């Protein structure tokens, strides 16, 4: 499976707003890479998973058989977002 191509920038912004309102669920925090927006870091896979809700009406499962962090990074970069290593990245 892959990341649906109909996830647009507006859906990603809506996912960011949801994270701001609800916080990051347990076990969904960023590990080595994050989307940076307005100086705040957001988990790449959570952003993609939640952004999928808006065009496709369901959260995209984040396990590796659906999409990897690398795929999420590339997708977000192609949409014009900044991806940065987290402090835990060595």
């Amino acid at each position: 499976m892959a990341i649906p191509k109909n996830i647009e920038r507006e859906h990603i912004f809506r996912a960011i707003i949801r994270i701001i309102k609800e916080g990051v669920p347990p076990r969904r925090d960023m590990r080595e890479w994050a989307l940076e927006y307005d100086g705040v870091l957001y988990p790449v896979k959570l952003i993609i998973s939640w952004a999928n809700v808006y065009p496709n009406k369901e959260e995209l499962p984040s396990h590796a058989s659906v999409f990897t962090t690398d795929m999420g990074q590339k997708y977000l970069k192609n949409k014009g977002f900044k991806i940065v290593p987290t402090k835990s990245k060595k």
Side-chain angles (χ1 to χ4, degrees):
M1 198 169 175
I3 298 169
K5 297 192 182 318
N6 65 342
I7 297 174
E8 299 295 338
R9 282 181 60 88
E10 90 173 67
H11 304 130
I12 295 163
F13 285 122
R14 290 174 74 181
I16 290 170
I17 291 167
R18 181 175 171 193
I19 291 173
I20 291 167
K21 288 180 179 178
E22 297 179 21
V24 175
R27 301 182 60 140
R28 298 296 304 270
D29 206 2
M30 62 201 122
R31 294 192 181 146
E32 294 184 358
W33 297 94
L35 179 152
E36 182 180 3
Y37 184 74
D38 277 350
V40 179
L41 302 180
Y42 299 94
V44 168
K45 291 188 87 173
L46 181 60
I47 289 286
I48 297 288
S49 294
W50 283 7
N52 190 64
V53 170
Y54 304 104
N56 299 308
K57 311 296 185 238
E58 66 181 353
E59 187 173 321
L60 191 64
S62 64
H63 47 79
S65 64
V66 177
F67 73 100
T68 65
T69 302
D70 289 341
M71 292 166 65
Q73 290 175 48
K74 183 178 178 183
Y75 195 90
L76 293 169
K77 284 179 185 177
N78 287 338
K79 295 292 182 187
F81 290 95
K82 181 178 180 183
I83 303 299
V84 298
T86 64
K87 291 180 181 176
S88 63
K89 176 108 173 105
K90 293 181 173 63

